[in-house]
Amino acid sequence: MGNNILIKFIKDHKFSYIIGIIFMLLASYIQTLFPKVLGYTIDILQTNGFNPKSVYINLVYIVLIAIGTFVCTYAWRNLVIGNSRRLECHFREKLFDHFQKLSPEFYNRRKTGDLIAYAINDINAVRMTFGPATSMAINGMVVCVISIYSMANTINWKLTLLSLLPVPFIICIMFYIGNIVKKHFRKVQETFAAISDRVQENITGIRVIKAYVQEDGEVKKFQKLNDQMLEANLNMVRVSAYLAPLIELCFTISFVLNLIWGGNMVLNGSISLGGFIAFNGYLAMILAPVLSIGQVITIFQRGMASLDRLNEIFNVKPHVKDGESRAEFPAQSTIIITELSFSYPGSDSEALSNINLVIPTGKTLGIIGKTGSGKTTLVNLLLKMYNVEPNKIAFNEIDINDFKLDALRNGFGFVPQDNFLFNASIAENIKFFKNIYSEEEVVNAARNSCVYQNIMDLPDEFETILGERGVNISGGQKQRISIARALIKNPEILVFDDALSAVDTVTEAEILKNLRKVRKNKTSIIVAHRISAVMEADEIIVLEKGKISERGTHLELLEKEGLYHEIYKFQFGAS
Amino acid sequence: MKSTNFNSAHLEKQKFTRLLKLNLPHMKRILLASICVLLVNGALLIKPYILKIVIDDILTKHVVQKGFYSLTTLGILYFVVVALSGFFGIAQVNLINRAGQEIMRDLRGKVFQTIQLLPLWYLDKVSSGNLITRATNDIESLSEMYTDVLISLFQDVFLILGIIFVMIMINVRLAIISFCVVPVMFFLVFLLKTRIKRNFRKMKSLIGRINGFMAENISGMKLIQIFYGEKEKKEAFAKLNSEYFKVTSFQVWMNSFLKPAADVFQSLAVAILIWYGMGKIANQTLQIGVLYAFTTYIKQFFAPIADLADNYSTIQSAFASADRIFELLDQKENLEDLDSGISMEHTKGTIEFKNVWFSYNDEDWILKNISFSIHEGQTAAFVGQTGAGKTTIISLVSGFYKIQKGEILVDGLNINDIKKRDLRKNISVIFQDVFLFSETIGKNISLNDDISNFVIGDAIRTSFAKEFVEFLPEKINEPVMERGSTFSAGQRQLLSFARAIAHNPAIIVLDEATANIDTQTEILIQKAIETMSKDRTTLIIAHRLSTIRNADKIIVLKQGEILEMGNHAKLMEKDGYYKAMVMEGVKEYHTHIY
């Protein structure tokens, strides 16, 4: 998938790539002309009573070479490097698209920071590989080939061969040292990751640290990691410092051989002085790309590793299968759950077992039970956050798997346990960034969730930006805004997943009263820990270890004197 | 406009001197490295000179080779020079890196320390991601500048100076001719400088925004899917991404232009040099070897300048990071001073608020004229609707914020005068959202303090956390996953109780958790609160009125003011707001039981 994106991108941009590479080759070629022209010029200057005109011609060549190099380099850099930036953005957009399709199961297993690293670091490594590193490699190869060819062809092939003698050694040294450096580099990255983790945790837990005066201990712990980082870095430098001088030393052997042997050849007239100078020029020209090979190799390795990682992510298929036949959620739908059992992927125990339930349209269902009893699982399945077996859940006798996902979810309004709000204005949060609601609808939703007055007390009212860079509001206010976000949809089915936990009993009662008013003929499902949130429901089920242990209305359940009654007694302090 | 320009230039200079000052403690190493650099550069300058001798004396003038003056010895000399320069090069890289990495370590440590001591009002304002990048990525990009750029920059500057010197020594006129293109080049860079810088800033802030956007949407992905907001989010992201692309495109263009431009200047310089020199050679006033040596020097002169175009982005990036780091380090005056003030080994635990006014922003008063006192060992409960100011009060008791008007007294001493370290050691705060570190359970209770396993075990027992810790495979050595995600909210709450108890404070401040606690755990929590508050001054922010019926003092808050105060019986008698709140619960109870 990731490879496909890459291949498709390259195919889509093949003209700019081809033209770019042509310019790149041209630029490299033109560059290699320079030592030759300089050599000729020196040869001309050396002859007594030389003709200035021929020197002028060569000077014009030098200037032309300069201009040619400039134009070609400018062109290929814009095309190839520009494309690599385009590739970066393209990849990131595709990745974000892909993220949006993945199911909650995927996100349960992954850390957010990790996933962002894909979008920033890995994509960046891919960009470096397909931009600067590729062009450096191509450029280096062309320069080497042409230089060696010119050296052998126009000057002297024996001298060339002799000069290239140390090259195999250079390659060995490079690989040997390169490998050690890579190992040290990994260590550096590991310590860096450890430091990031440490800082991240420290900052998220800073309140605890301050309250318990743990600053000194935290600093001490951090210093230890900090010292490790220093060591890791220095260990790497200690090895890598050898790389460039050693390669240069090897090359110097070529150079010295050329100096001694080539010099003698000039003396006995088998090559010209200009040829000797040009030869030196070519040797110097080869040195630069050879020195950078190590760098290119590491960039390539990192890029390929990152591409592998990206491929892995792109190959993750959304777990939840999309239905096909139904694009519309039925109005007035009765929910029928028959013999529903469910285990989380990778788990042996059943989170829900043999649930049978009918929620007639327009009725309210209350669900109560311990943590881990399966309440959230049940509502998650209604929204098909996980795959549901066929013929287990139906809306108006249409199986849940027949619906297109967007149609299904469009039928629901959902208030989650954690009050997640986006770093955007309150109005946008309530509208969920959709421009289909009027201002009046927003205000009404806020009124019905008893948060209107709180919002109006904020500096910019509904336009107040929430979140890290905006205003911090209390957990209760957040919860009520997320209730408003569900209410504004006026959905066929409204689900409160323990969504009244952060509001006090007075506000809770008021919200429930409003609900009864606006949800008159529509279905609601209220999951709660507090009896007061569910006792008005048409039916209440008590979940215990994934099974319905009690069901009935509030009064019926109290008479049963079971778990419900026990919870009731505890919460109301009645004796 | 002019003055701001001056100002920014001034600031720029300040930042630069500050960066330089960081080097001071490592002067010895840096000096040694400089000597190495000089030697390496000397070698670089000698190399073309050896070639000049070879070309002029041996190859052109055919001077008789004897002794030192032979191709072979000159060749060997050349090799020795390179070997020596390699040796000094390695030494220099190691020296500079040691200095550089040590500076980075110290800086990183300082940043971390600063973050530890930042006051809460500052931490409230900045995003955590922002702080994290300062201690990690920003230091890293400074370090990158040090290792990748500064070392070569250092060398290049010396080299350029050396080349200029040697060229002038050999032939002043030729030297001047060779440099005639330099002013044009500088003019060009000067023209583009501000645009490059501005663009670079934009790039950094955009990548930060992309990062933030991703983080937020990954956290909220479930909601996006439920609310079918994928299309809107995709559009928003595409917009951000294309904005980023536009900014990077400029950078690509910049580099595409600057890099070959340096090459053009180099070739032009060579062409001008030859054009000038050919006359001299014709009338024998100039040797070819000199001319050739000059072309080599010109190449050596321009190579670092061409690299500068590439390095410029690293430097700019590092400078932008330096800005952010210094900005944080400049919070010095705002940092909390834990150790000044009256020391207070053991607090008795009386707390008094005298006409306290408080606001987070000096505008909207969160607390208005609050007065109350709590005696040693008493339990006080704060009730009221969300936003009434309950949570604020507990933040004030620990001295996290400064109040604007009034006085807070602990054991009769003004809280501002007490050593913060002592004050906080005596108060254990239990937050509404419990934070657990990814360490073992035991470490989460003792934190960095030296607390014996016996005391930890005892704390686990009294907090009733034992009920579930006992069943963990590793008991108190059980590792806690990222943010304690493997424990339920109730279990986390019990662990935070154990943490508080183990630190044996005189005062416990408890912000009762609201969400997701099942009744069984709830009962344990109630029992734990009871044992915990025995013999200790306890402040509870209650969300369930049943929790606090036995409190010595119930303080009812509404919109930052105290509405009623007294124990349960007294308040019920009063027939006010508290009673209404209680009755609301009881009413439900009555209507449904009968």
Side-chain angles (χ1 to χ4, degrees):
Chain A
M1 188 54 181
N3 280 333
N4 288 344
I5 292 172
L6 184 67
I7 292 165
K8 188 166 179 308
F9 180 87
I10 293 176
K11 265 190 194 153
D12 286 348
H13 295 85
K14 59 174 177 276
F15 282 112
S16 54
Y17 270 118
I18 290 170
I19 295 170
I21 289 173
I22 289 173
F23 273 115
M24 198 191 293
L25 294 176
L26 266 176
S28 308
Y29 173 72
I30 295 172
Q31 267 176 299
T32 55
L33 293 176
F34 188 80
K36 215 192 292 184
V37 174
L38 191 63
Y40 284 150
T41 318
I42 299 275
D43 271 349
I44 296 169
L45 288 174
Q46 208 193 1
T47 49
N48 284 328
F50 57 84
N51 183 2
K53 229 184 206 161
S54 49
V55 180
Y56 286 136
I57 291 171
N58 275 317
L59 286 181
V60 171
Y61 280 146
I62 289 178
V63 174
L64 282 180
I65 286 170
I67 293 170
T69 315
F70 177 82
V71 171
C72 293
T73 311
Y74 177 77
W76 80 250
R77 272 192 161 239
N78 263 323
L79 287 167
V80 176
I81 309 273
N83 266 347
S84 75
R85 285 289 186 185
R86 203 167 279 133
L87 175 72
E88 176 194 354
C89 291
H90 181 72
F91 241 114
R92 197 173 288 133
E93 229 170 292
K94 286 275 174 211
L95 186 65
F96 187 72
D97 265 11
H98 186 66
F99 278 160
Q100 292 206 324
K101 291 196 192 96
L102 294 177
S103 319
E105 208 186 317
F106 173 81
Y107 291 102
N108 290 343
R109 284 182 288 116
R110 298 284 193 151
K111 284 194 206 171
T112 310
D114 251 12
L115 293 176
I116 296 172
Y118 284 97
I120 310 272
N121 302 357
D122 285 312
I123 288 179
N124 219 10
V126 172
R127 167 182 75 84
M128 287 298 284
T129 305
F130 288 93
T134 307
S135 43
M136 247 155 92
I138 295 179
N139 187 43
M141 258 169 348
V142 173
V143 168
C144 282
V145 168
I146 296 179
S147 297
I148 292 171
Y149 174 80
S150 315
M151 278 154 71
N153 196 42
T154 56
I155 302 158
N156 188 302
W157 66 266
K158 268 193 247 166
L159 197 58
T160 310
L161 223 56
L162 187 72
S163 306
L164 294 180
L165 218 56
V167 170
F169 292 101
I170 291 175
I171 291 171
C172 286
I173 289 173
M174 240 159 36
F175 274 101
Y176 179 68
I177 294 185
N179 262 330
I180 303 177
V181 170
K182 208 165 72 188
K183 244 188 286 166
H184 286 297
F185 182 71
R186 201 167 300 147
K187 181 88 193 133
V188 170
Q189 296 228 297
E190 277 166 20
T191 42
F192 182 72
I195 283 196
S196 295
D197 265 2
R198 184 82 252 145
V199 178
Q200 169 125 29
E201 193 173 66
N202 174 280
I203 289 173
T204 13
I206 195 90
R207 273 154 213 275
V208 175
I209 287 159
K210 284 191 168 298
Y212 286 86
V213 224
Q214 298 297 314
E215 290 91 344
D216 297 345
E218 287 295 306
V219 169
K220 220 179 280 160
K221 269 200 275 185
F222 182 78
Q223 276 314 348
K224 219 196 248 157
L225 280 177
N226 206 357
D227 286 337
Q228 277 171 23
M229 178 96 191
L230 174 86
E231 267 321 298
N233 262 319
L234 287 180
N235 282 338
M236 183 172 76
V237 168
R238 229 167 268 145
V239 183
S240 64
Y242 280 98
L243 195 59
L246 274 180
I247 292 175
E248 207 184 341
L249 203 65
C250 288
F251 243 102
T252 306
I253 297 174
S254 301
F255 211 81
V256 170
L257 287 175
N258 168 48
L259 198 69
I260 298 172
W261 202 12
N264 280 319
M265 285 167 97
V266 174
L267 285 179
N268 62 36
S270 53
I271 58 171
S272 70
L273 180 61
F276 175 78
I277 285 172
F279 197 89
N280 275 339
Y282 283 124
L283 266 183
M285 230 174 184
I286 294 174
L287 181 63
V290 169
L291 273 176
S292 63
I293 282 181
Q295 209 186 338
V296 172
I297 288 174
T298 41
I299 297 176
F300 258 98
Q301 274 173 337
R302 267 181 242 171
M304 287 303 144
S306 290
L307 196 61
D308 280 348
R309 272 165 56 86
L310 284 168
N311 272 331
E312 239 168 71
I313 284 286
F314 276 116
N315 283 334
V316 176
K317 295 266 174 325
H319 294 277
V320 176
K321 290 183 212 91
D322 203 354
E324 266 152 31
S325 52
R326 294 289 176 148
E328 202 68 48
F329 194 78
Q332 309 269 308
S333 61
T334 297
I335 306 170
I336 303 166
I337 302 174
T338 32
E339 291 172 12
L340 174 69
S341 296
F342 178 79
S343 326
Y344 280 96
S347 154
D348 299 330
S349 57
E350 282 188 335
L352 287 177
S353 47
N354 202 24
I355 302 286
N356 285 292
L357 199 60
V358 177
I359 311 166
T361 178
K363 299 293 182 190
T364 301
L365 174 76
I367 306 178
I368 205 159
K370 270 209 263 183
T371 314
S373 61
K375 303 182 302 283
T376 300
T377 311
L378 185 59
V379 292
N380 272 342
L381 288 181
L382 286 178
L383 284 154
K384 208 179 164 191
M385 299 311 283
Y386 296 88
N387 278 322
V388 179
E389 282 176 55
N391 304 321
K392 296 290 179 192
I393 301 176
F395 302 94
N396 270 5
E397 299 185 357
I398 305 162
D399 189 71
I400 192 171
N401 292 306
D402 290 343
F403 290 102
K404 284 176 96 58
L405 274 180
D406 52 331
L408 175 74
R409 290 175 186 166
N410 221 7
F412 281 90
F414 184 76
V415 190
Q417 278 177 14
D418 47 345
N419 316 301
F420 188 89
L421 296 178
F422 289 88
N423 193 340
S425 73
I426 292 177
E428 286 209 87
N429 265 296
I430 293 177
K431 292 192 281 186
F432 213 96
F433 308 96
K434 293 177 201 279
N435 295 320
I436 49 173
Y437 303 111
S438 69
E439 211 169 294
E440 203 193 329
E441 284 174 289
V442 176
V443 170
N444 276 337
R447 279 222 165 92
N448 286 326
S449 56
C450 296
V451 71
Y452 179 76
Q453 201 47 52
N454 299 95
I455 295 173
M456 297 313 277
D457 287 343
L458 291 170
D460 297 315
E461 301 177 351
F462 276 90
E463 293 312 310
T464 308
I465 306 285
L466 300 177
E468 284 201 319
R469 267 163 299 162
V471 173
N472 270 317
I473 55 175
S474 76
Q477 289 168 353
K478 273 187 205 160
Q479 195 162 54
R480 279 174 284 151
I481 289 176
S482 72
I483 292 172
R485 179 170 66 189
L487 287 182
I488 199 172
K489 278 180 84 176
N490 192 21
E492 291 304 322
I493 301 164
L494 181 71
V495 178
F496 274 38
D497 187 3
D498 197 17
L500 290 164
S501 57
V503 297
D504 50 72
T505 35
V506 180
T507 320
E508 180 187 84
E510 198 159 327
I511 293 176
L512 287 171
K513 200 176 81 197
N514 292 339
L515 276 190
R516 280 193 286 277
K517 200 171 65 203
V518 296
R519 305 285 307 162
K520 220 172 233 159
N521 296 314
K522 295 197 167 166
T523 312
S524 303
I525 298 172
I526 298 174
V527 175
H529 282 295
R530 250 187 264 165
I531 298 266
S532 55
V534 294
M535 60 189 184
E536 309 261 346
D538 298 299
E539 184 176 13
I540 302 166
I541 59 171
V542 182
L543 282 178
E544 241 179 315
K545 291 184 181 149
K547 292 189 184 114
I548 300 180
S549 67
E550 294 169 35
R551 66 202 308 167
T553 61
H554 178 68
L555 289 177
E556 284 165 10
L557 285 173
L558 284 182
E559 273 164 28
K560 267 186 194 158
E561 304 222 333
L563 180 62
Y564 187 85
H565 182 68
E566 208 175 290
I567 299 171
Y568 178 80
K569 265 195 325 205
F570 173 72
Q571 286 182 4
F572 286 89
S575 45
Chain B
M1 198 56 219
K2 223 177 192 173
S3 72
T4 55
N5 262 343
F6 168 77
N7 233 333
S8 74
H10 182 68
L11 281 177
E12 200 81 334
K13 222 173 116 192
Q14 244 181 1
K15 176 174 53 189
F16 201 69
T17 42
R18 255 180 109 166
L19 275 174
L20 281 182
K21 266 197 195 139
L22 292 175
N23 289 311
L24 279 179
H26 305 272
M27 243 12 235
K28 234 193 233 161
R29 280 213 190 89
I30 292 171
L31 271 177
L32 220 63
S34 315
I35 294 169
C36 291
V37 167
L38 283 180
L39 291 170
V40 170
N41 284 337
L44 276 175
L45 296 174
I46 291 171
K47 284 188 313 194
Y49 197 76
I50 295 177
L51 284 181
K52 174 198 160 305
I53 295 173
V54 170
I55 294 171
D56 274 349
D57 296 359
I58 298 175
L59 300 184
T60 317
K61 291 193 202 139
H62 303 290
V63 174
V64 186
Q65 300 185 34
K66 64 168 185 228
F68 183 74
Y69 233 63
S70 73
L71 268 178
T72 322
T73 36
L74 282 173
I76 291 167
L77 180 70
Y78 191 92
F79 184 78
V80 171
V81 168
V82 172
L84 280 176
S85 94
F87 172 77
F88 287 117
I90 291 168
Q92 172 242 359
V93 169
N94 274 308
L95 282 166
I96 281 281
N97 261 302
R98 174 151 287 273
Q101 289 303 331
E102 273 179 17
I103 292 170
M104 291 312 136
R105 181 193 57 185
D106 296 347
L107 206 55
R108 203 183 286 120
K110 236 192 265 173
V111 167
F112 187 79
Q113 211 161 0
T114 307
I115 292 175
Q116 299 308 297
L117 296 178
L118 283 173
L120 276 190
W121 61 259
Y122 186 88
L123 290 166
D124 289 342
K125 270 193 314 188
V126 293
S127 75
S128 55
N130 196 324
L131 285 176
I132 293 165
T133 40
R134 282 178 215 217
T136 54
N137 294 346
D138 282 330
I139 300 271
E140 213 44 29
S141 86
L142 258 186
S143 153
E144 217 166 89
M145 170 170 90
Y146 229 94
T147 46
D148 293 356
V149 180
L150 266 197
I151 292 173
S152 60
L153 202 69
F154 194 52
Q155 192 172 350
D156 290 346
V157 169
F158 276 106
L159 182 63
I160 288 174
L161 291 177
I163 290 170
I164 294 172
F165 175 75
V166 172
M167 284 166 96
I168 289 173
M169 286 308 284
I170 297 177
N171 191 320
V172 181
R173 280 214 175 155
L174 276 189
I176 291 170
I177 296 289
S178 305
F179 297 137
C180 67
V181 292
V182 173
V184 185
M185 211 171 59
F186 272 110
F187 181 67
L188 198 73
V189 171
F190 179 77
L191 276 183
L192 290 167
K193 204 181 93 185
T194 39
R195 282 191 68 188
I196 297 172
K197 230 191 287 181
R198 206 180 319 133
N199 197 65
F200 211 82
R201 295 254 156 85
K202 260 196 234 156
M203 228 165 108
K204 275 227 143 166
S205 94
L206 273 170
I207 204 80
R209 274 169 63 194
I210 288 178
N211 208 322
F213 189 90
M214 278 258 169
E216 183 181 66
N217 286 285
I218 288 171
S219 317
M221 193 57 80
K222 190 176 161 192
L223 274 177
I224 294 175
Q225 291 175 347
I226 289 173
F227 280 83
Y228 199 54
E230 285 101 331
K231 208 181 80 204
E232 286 78 14
K233 286 294 175 186
K234 186 183 165 179
E235 275 163 16
F237 186 70
K239 210 176 120 209
L240 196 60
N241 208 15
S242 70
E243 216 175 307
Y244 172 76
F245 177 68
K246 242 189 349 219
V247 176
T248 54
S249 295
F250 177 78
Q251 207 219 353
V252 170
W253 174 84
M254 263 305 317
N255 271 340
S256 306
F257 176 79
L258 278 187
K259 183 113 173 129
D263 286 336
V264 168
F265 282 117
Q266 178 194 331
S267 299
L268 275 181
V270 171
I272 292 171
L273 183 77
I274 294 176
W275 170 75
Y276 174 81
M278 61 191 246
K280 304 271 185 223
I281 287 174
N283 62 31
Q284 309 272 317
T285 48
L286 184 70
Q287 291 167 320
I288 290 188
V290 174
L291 196 68
Y292 178 67
F294 261 77
T295 61
T296 313
Y297 285 131
I298 286 176
K299 217 179 263 165
Q300 281 184 350
F301 182 82
F302 279 94
I305 289 175
D307 286 342
L308 212 62
D310 272 350
N311 290 339
Y312 198 71
S313 53
T314 317
I315 295 175
Q316 275 308 322
S317 153
F319 273 21
S321 291
D323 271 344
R324 291 157 52 86
I325 291 169
F326 288 147
E327 190 205 323
L328 186 70
L329 294 182
D330 283 342
Q331 294 303 320
K332 227 180 232 157
E333 300 145 45
N334 290 328
L335 293 188
E336 289 190 312
D337 183 357
L338 295 174
D339 288 313
S340 75
I342 306 165
S343 59
M344 184 186 252
E345 275 290 301
H346 287 289
T347 319
K348 287 204 260 16
T350 60
I351 298 170
E352 191 177 1
F353 273 52
K354 269 190 188 162
N355 308 91
V356 171
W357 288 73
F358 176 75
S359 148
Y360 288 100
N361 54 9
D362 286 328
E363 262 175 46
D364 311 309
W365 295 103
I366 304 292
L367 296 182
K368 300 167 200 157
N369 202 22
I370 299 282
S371 301
F372 61 83
S373 65
I374 305 162
H375 300 299
E376 191 180 339
Q378 274 191 333
T379 298
F382 296 85
V383 295
Q385 286 187 316
T386 33
K390 293 171 295 181
T391 309
T392 307
I393 288 183
I394 60 163
S395 300
L396 295 180
V397 174
S398 289
F400 286 138
Y401 300 92
K402 275 220 166 75
I403 52 171
Q404 278 86 350
K405 272 187 266 178
E407 257 188 319
I408 300 174
L409 306 171
V410 172
D411 282 6
L413 289 172
N414 190 320
I415 206 171
N416 294 330
D417 299 333
I418 304 171
K419 206 193 259 186
K420 280 205 176 67
R421 188 185 296 278
D422 290 352
L423 178 71
R424 290 181 191 167
K425 280 233 146 108
N426 279 303
I427 302 174
S428 284
V429 185
I430 298 160
F431 294 98
Q432 204 175 36
D433 338 291
V434 176
F435 187 84
L436 294 179
F437 296 89
S438 24
E439 307 238 20
T440 62
I441 289 200
K443 275 263 164 213
N444 262 296
I445 289 170
S446 69
L447 298 172
N448 298 316
D449 293 329
D450 196 14
I451 294 176
S452 73
N453 274 351
F454 178 76
V455 175
I456 294 174
D458 203 46
I460 290 179
R461 207 165 323 114
T462 27
S463 68
F464 293 96
K466 195 164 192 259
E467 303 274 327
F468 72 95
V469 173
E470 221 173 22
F471 295 106
L472 298 171
E474 310 245 3
K475 308 241 159 56
I476 65 166
N477 292 322
E478 179 82 2
V480 176
M481 290 297 132
E482 198 185 25
R483 303 217 200 159
S485 57
T486 43
F487 298 113
S488 77
Q491 292 171 334
R492 289 202 292 264
Q493 182 83 5
L494 290 180
L495 284 178
S496 76
F497 287 178
R499 182 190 280 163
I501 294 167
H503 284 82
N504 192 28
I507 301 168
I508 281 189
V509 176
L510 166 67
D511 196 351
E512 196 181 29
T514 49
N516 299 324
I517 293 169
D518 58 77
T519 314
Q520 270 76 355
T521 318
E522 181 87 57
I523 293 169
L524 294 181
I525 289 175
Q526 299 270 329
K527 283 204 267 181
I529 293 177
E530 239 167 79
T531 38
M532 224 163 39
S533 57
K534 229 178 269 167
D535 311 323
R536 285 195 182 96
T537 309
T538 310
L539 277 66
I540 302 179
I541 292 178
H543 299 284
R544 297 169 192 68
L545 298 177
S546 56
T547 319
I548 53 160
R549 216 151 271 190
N550 299 324
D552 300 300
K553 198 172 261 183
I554 295 169
I555 298 167
V556 185
L557 291 166
K558 194 177 185 185
Q559 289 172 347
E561 284 173 284
I562 294 181
L563 214 60
E564 296 165 20
M565 187 154 51
N567 62 23
H568 178 72
K570 220 162 123 196
L571 288 178
M572 289 305 282
E573 236 167 71
K574 209 176 181 189
D575 204 9
Y577 190 64
Y578 179 77
K579 188 175 178 191
M581 280 165 79
V582 173
M583 288 317 283
E584 188 76 23
V586 177
K587 188 181 79 199
E588 280 163 9
Y589 171 77
H590 281 292
T591 45
H592 291 280
I593 199 127
Y594 301 113

